[in-house]
């Protein structure tokens, strides 16, 4: 019975996620689900990303947190399209919560949607939100063993960020071991080494520009075909 209940919950979530995906696709919005542990640098990454890209693309952010709106308040200094979701005791975002957040946004004015999931390396991985890409985020300060300890995130990710590279020489971090574990778990995943603090984000920003450009061009072509 418990297995059936879990399967039912996940199927309901997947149904809503597929609806989210169709809605976002109709508007040509590229959506990422950003997953990482507390303190890995997700919010600062988003702040730096907004500062770099807000003049060239229209960005919205959905922020998941247990109780506070502190991350959303930080992000609001760079972006007016911010929606806070408080999950209470929930350790992850679910598709229906994202759907409610989408209802608060003007989707015709968005090119890129960033969903900052609740700080957790386990629970968020199993819940589809309707995103185009799962982006996993690790940091050198967390230690090199995190990919091996949390393989589901690595296996599910379309892109992995290794943040806080500016601290590499100050912390005990085996970079080669980290890369070996990632390659063993997901040999096809794109890996970007970066530092949000040092604003060393060029490959990440280039990846976003490429993905958003492809998505918007596809939406234009679909619109032309339908006309």
């Amino acid at each position: 019975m418990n297995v059936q209940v879990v399967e039912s919950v996940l199927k309901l979530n997947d149904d809503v996620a597929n609806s989210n995906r169709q809605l976002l696709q109709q508007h040509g919005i590229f959506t990422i689900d950003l997953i990482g542990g507390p303190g890995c640098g997700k919010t600062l990454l988003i702040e730096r990303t907004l500062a770099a890209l807000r003049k060239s693309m229209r960005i919205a952010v959905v922020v998941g947190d247990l109780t506070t709106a502190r991350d959303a308040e930080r992000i609001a200094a760079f972006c007016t399209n911010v929606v806070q979701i408080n999950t209470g005791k929930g350790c992850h975002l679910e598709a229906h919560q994202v759907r409610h957040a989408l209802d608060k946004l003007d989707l015709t004015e968005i090119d890129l949607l960033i969903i900052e999931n609740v700080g957790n390396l386990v629970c968020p991985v199993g819940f589809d939100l309707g995103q185009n890409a799962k982006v996993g985020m690790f940091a050198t300060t967390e230690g090199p063993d995190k990919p091996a300890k949390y393989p589901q995130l690595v296996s599910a990710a379309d892109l992995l960020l290794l943040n806080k590279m500016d601290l590499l020489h100050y912390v005990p971090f085996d970079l080669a071991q980290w890369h070996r574990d990632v390659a063993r778990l997901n040999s096809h995943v794109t890996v970007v080494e970066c530092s949000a603090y040092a604003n060393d984000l060029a490959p990440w920003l280039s990846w976003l520009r490429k993905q958003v450009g492809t998505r918007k061009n596809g939406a234009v072509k679909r619109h032309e075909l339908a006309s």
Side-chain angles (χ1 to χ4, degrees):
M1 177 64 71
N2 289 338
V3 173
Q4 292 177 352
V5 170
V6 171
E7 288 179 346
S8 178
V9 169
L10 290 176
K11 183 181 185 306
L12 178 60
N13 182 85
D14 288 347
D15 289 344
V16 178
N18 286 329
S19 176
N20 290 348
R21 187 173 292 105
Q22 291 174 8
L23 179 63
L24 292 162
Q25 182 176 336
Q26 288 171 4
H27 289 87
I29 299 172
F30 182 72
T31 304
I32 67 169
D33 179 12
L34 180 61
I35 300 173
C40 72
K42 296 188 299 298
T43 305
L44 182 57
L45 176 82
I46 293 172
E47 290 177 313
R48 301 292 201 212
T49 300
L50 289 167
L53 298 180
R54 60 184 173 180
K55 292 183 179 180
S56 60
M57 66 180 69
R58 302 166 299 177
I59 307 173
V61 183
V62 172
V63 182
D65 207 346
L66 295 180
T67 58
T68 76
R70 293 181 180 178
D71 288 350
E73 290 167 356
R74 284 175 53 182
I75 292 168
F78 299 87
C79 175
T80 58
N81 292 321
V82 183
V83 179
Q84 174 72 53
I85 299 175
N86 288 122
T87 61
K89 296 181 180 180
C91 59
H92 59 271
L93 291 177
E94 297 182 12
H96 71 91
Q97 295 169 318
V98 172
R99 184 52 177 259
H100 291 316
L102 295 180
D103 290 339
K104 299 178 181 180
L105 296 168
D106 183 355
L107 301 183
T108 65
E109 295 296 325
I110 299 171
D111 302 315
L112 170 65
L113 174 63
I114 301 174
I115 302 171
E116 181 183 4
N117 219 310
V118 178
N120 192 317
L121 291 170
V122 181
C123 301
V125 180
F127 284 81
D128 185 5
L129 304 179
Q131 75 284 336
N132 299 109
K134 282 186 185 291
V135 177
M137 190 167 183
F138 296 96
T140 59
T141 51
E142 297 173 329
D145 57 351
K146 291 301 178 290
K149 286 187 174 182
Y150 301 96
Q152 290 82 6
L153 176 56
V154 177
S155 298
D158 299 285
L159 181 139
L160 288 176
L161 297 168
L162 179 57
N163 190 33
K164 304 188 181 182
M165 289 297 293
D166 54 309
L167 299 178
L168 184 62
H169 299 297
Y170 303 97
V171 294
F173 188 87
D174 188 335
L175 184 60
Q177 181 62 61
W178 188 91
H179 279 287
R180 282 196 297 270
D181 285 337
V182 167
R184 175 175 54 83
L185 294 164
N186 188 345
S187 60
H188 301 292
V189 70
T190 299
V191 176
V192 172
E193 298 177 0
C194 63
S195 170
Y197 180 79
N199 212 9
D200 181 10
L201 298 173
W204 159 248
L205 298 175
S206 295
W207 183 81
L208 284 176
R209 290 188 185 99
K210 179 180 179 181
Q211 301 301 323
V212 171
T214 300
R215 180 68 45 176
K216 296 305 291 185
N217 290 338
V220 169
K221 290 178 180 178
R222 287 193 299 273
H223 176 72
E224 291 174 346
L225 289 172
S227 300

